[in-house]
PDB file of all heavy atoms in Angstrom:
ATOM      1  N   ASP R 261     -70.789 178.347   1.345  1.00  0.00           N
ATOM      2  CA  ASP R 261     -70.082 177.565   2.341  1.00  0.00           C
ATOM      3  C   ASP R 261     -71.026 176.802   3.275  1.00  0.00           C
ATOM      4  O   ASP R 261     -70.778 175.602   3.532  1.00  0.00           O
ATOM      5  CB  ASP R 261     -69.173 178.432   3.205  1.00  0.00           C
ATOM      6  CG  ASP R 261     -68.007 179.100   2.429  1.00  0.00           C
ATOM      7  OD1 ASP R 261     -67.662 178.630   1.395  1.00  0.00           O
ATOM      8  OD2 ASP R 261     -67.588 180.135   2.908  1.00  0.00           O
ATOM      9  N   LYS R 262     -72.122 177.410   3.721  1.00  0.00           N
ATOM     10  CA  LYS R 262     -72.966 176.890   4.594  1.00  0.00           C
ATOM     11  C   LYS R 262     -73.775 175.674   3.937  1.00  0.00           C
ATOM     12  O   LYS R 262     -74.055 174.721   4.590  1.00  0.00           O
ATOM     13  CB  LYS R 262     -73.970 177.938   5.149  1.00  0.00           C
ATOM     14  CG  LYS R 262     -73.321 178.943   6.015  1.00  0.00           C
ATOM     15  CD  LYS R 262     -74.307 180.005   6.293  1.00  0.00           C
ATOM     16  CE  LYS R 262     -73.585 181.196   6.979  1.00  0.00           C
ATOM     17  NZ  LYS R 262     -74.601 182.318   7.298  1.00  0.00           N
ATOM     18  N   VAL R 263     -74.065 175.841   2.599  1.00  0.00           N
ATOM     19  CA  VAL R 263     -74.708 174.672   1.849  1.00  0.00           C
ATOM     20  C   VAL R 263     -73.831 173.555   2.020  1.00  0.00           C
ATOM     21  O   VAL R 263     -74.397 172.411   2.143  1.00  0.00           O
ATOM     22  CB  VAL R 263     -75.034 175.141   0.511  1.00  0.00           C
ATOM     23  CG1 VAL R 263     -75.388 173.944  -0.434  1.00  0.00           C
ATOM     24  CG2 VAL R 263     -76.167 176.243   0.452  1.00  0.00           C
ATOM     25  N   TRP R 264     -72.542 173.589   1.859  1.00  0.00           N
ATOM     26  CA  TRP R 264     -71.644 172.543   1.854  1.00  0.00           C
ATOM     27  C   TRP R 264     -71.480 172.010   3.322  1.00  0.00           C
ATOM     28  O   TRP R 264     -71.610 170.762   3.633  1.00  0.00           O
ATOM     29  CB  TRP R 264     -70.273 172.868   1.332  1.00  0.00           C
ATOM     30  CG  TRP R 264     -70.207 172.985  -0.127  1.00  0.00           C
ATOM     31  CD1 TRP R 264     -70.210 174.107  -0.966  1.00  0.00           C
ATOM     32  CD2 TRP R 264     -70.092 171.923  -1.124  1.00  0.00           C
ATOM     33  NE1 TRP R 264     -70.215 173.832  -2.258  1.00  0.00           N
ATOM     34  CE2 TRP R 264     -70.066 172.450  -2.383  1.00  0.00           C
ATOM     35  CE3 TRP R 264     -69.850 170.495  -0.922  1.00  0.00           C
ATOM     36  CZ2 TRP R 264     -69.919 171.635  -3.502  1.00  0.00           C
ATOM     37  CZ3 TRP R 264     -69.732 169.755  -2.036  1.00  0.00           C
ATOM     38  CH2 TRP R 264     -69.786 170.341  -3.353  1.00  0.00           C
ATOM     39  N   ILE R 265     -71.140 172.845   4.255  1.00  0.00           N
ATOM     40  CA  ILE R 265     -70.797 172.404   5.655  1.00  0.00           C
ATOM     41  C   ILE R 265     -72.021 171.847   6.298  1.00  0.00           C
ATOM     42  O   ILE R 265     -71.940 170.833   6.986  1.00  0.00           O
ATOM     43  CB  ILE R 265     -70.223 173.591   6.403  1.00  0.00           C
ATOM     44  CG1 ILE R 265     -68.803 173.992   5.799  1.00  0.00           C
ATOM     45  CG2 ILE R 265     -70.023 173.147   7.894  1.00  0.00           C
ATOM     46  CD1 ILE R 265     -68.313 175.225   6.347  1.00  0.00           C
ATOM     47  N   LEU R 266     -73.221 172.433   6.037  1.00  0.00           N
ATOM     48  CA  LEU R 266     -74.333 171.897   6.780  1.00  0.00           C
ATOM     49  C   LEU R 266     -75.050 170.774   6.116  1.00  0.00           C
ATOM     50  O   LEU R 266     -76.080 170.235   6.675  1.00  0.00           O
ATOM     51  CB  LEU R 266     -75.390 173.087   6.934  1.00  0.00           C
ATOM     52  CG  LEU R 266     -74.957 174.225   7.991  1.00  0.00           C
ATOM     53  CD1 LEU R 266     -75.854 175.344   7.907  1.00  0.00           C
ATOM     54  CD2 LEU R 266     -74.794 173.616   9.442  1.00  0.00           C
ATOM     55  N   GLY R 267     -74.680 170.414   4.965  1.00  0.00           N
ATOM     56  CA  GLY R 267     -75.317 169.232   4.333  1.00  0.00           C
ATOM     57  C   GLY R 267     -74.684 168.631   3.171  1.00  0.00           C
ATOM     58  O   GLY R 267     -74.619 167.401   2.998  1.00  0.00           O
ATOM     59  N   ARG R 268     -74.293 169.445   2.150  1.00  0.00           N
ATOM     60  CA  ARG R 268     -73.845 168.924   0.844  1.00  0.00           C
ATOM     61  C   ARG R 268     -72.535 168.041   0.965  1.00  0.00           C
ATOM     62  O   ARG R 268     -72.379 167.082   0.378  1.00  0.00           O
ATOM     63  CB  ARG R 268     -73.627 170.027  -0.129  1.00  0.00           C
ATOM     64  CG  ARG R 268     -73.381 169.498  -1.502  1.00  0.00           C
ATOM     65  CD  ARG R 268     -73.375 170.628  -2.490  1.00  0.00           C
ATOM     66  NE  ARG R 268     -73.113 170.027  -3.898  1.00  0.00           N
ATOM     67  CZ  ARG R 268     -72.918 170.777  -4.955  1.00  0.00           C
ATOM     68  NH1 ARG R 268     -73.038 172.031  -4.903  1.00  0.00           N
ATOM     69  NH2 ARG R 268     -72.667 170.191  -6.138  1.00  0.00           N
ATOM     70  N   THR R 269     -71.604 168.509   1.780  1.00  0.00           N
ATOM     71  CA  THR R 269     -70.405 167.705   1.951  1.00  0.00           C
ATOM     72  C   THR R 269     -70.704 166.244   2.432  1.00  0.00           C
ATOM     73  O   THR R 269     -70.256 165.270   1.926  1.00  0.00           O
ATOM     74  CB  THR R 269     -69.334 168.312   2.985  1.00  0.00           C
ATOM     75  OG1 THR R 269     -69.044 169.608   2.467  1.00  0.00           O
ATOM     76  CG2 THR R 269     -68.075 167.466   3.140  1.00  0.00           C
ATOM     77  N   ALA R 270     -71.496 166.157   3.516  1.00  0.00           N
ATOM     78  CA  ALA R 270     -71.892 164.965   4.118  1.00  0.00           C
ATOM     79  C   ALA R 270     -72.625 164.085   3.145  1.00  0.00           C
ATOM     80  O   ALA R 270     -72.509 162.882   3.046  1.00  0.00           O
ATOM     81  CB  ALA R 270     -72.570 165.178   5.473  1.00  0.00           C
ATOM     82  N   ALA R 271     -73.585 164.758   2.456  1.00  0.00           N
ATOM     83  CA  ALA R 271     -74.488 163.971   1.419  1.00  0.00           C
ATOM     84  C   ALA R 271     -73.657 163.367   0.384  1.00  0.00           C
ATOM     85  O   ALA R 271     -73.885 162.250  -0.088  1.00  0.00           O
ATOM     86  CB  ALA R 271     -75.512 165.019   0.871  1.00  0.00           C
ATOM     87  N   THR R 272     -72.571 164.120  -0.013  1.00  0.00           N
ATOM     88  CA  THR R 272     -71.630 163.578  -1.010  1.00  0.00           C
ATOM     89  C   THR R 272     -70.719 162.434  -0.460  1.00  0.00           C
ATOM     90  O   THR R 272     -70.727 161.347  -1.067  1.00  0.00           O
ATOM     91  CB  THR R 272     -70.754 164.706  -1.604  1.00  0.00           C
ATOM     92  OG1 THR R 272     -71.622 165.807  -2.076  1.00  0.00           O
ATOM     93  CG2 THR R 272     -69.882 164.256  -2.666  1.00  0.00           C
ATOM     94  N   VAL R 273     -70.135 162.661   0.679  1.00  0.00           N
ATOM     95  CA  VAL R 273     -69.116 161.677   1.186  1.00  0.00           C
ATOM     96  C   VAL R 273     -69.832 160.428   1.677  1.00  0.00           C
ATOM     97  O   VAL R 273     -69.373 159.364   1.516  1.00  0.00           O
ATOM     98  CB  VAL R 273     -68.345 162.385   2.312  1.00  0.00           C
ATOM     99  CG1 VAL R 273     -67.417 161.370   3.043  1.00  0.00           C
ATOM    100  CG2 VAL R 273     -67.544 163.535   1.737  1.00  0.00           C
TER     101      VAL R 273
END
Side-chain angles (χ1 to χ4, degrees):
D261 293 337
K262 295 172 189 177
V263 167
W264 283 99
I265 294 170
L266 290 173
R268 188 174 179 183
T269 299
T272 303
V273 175

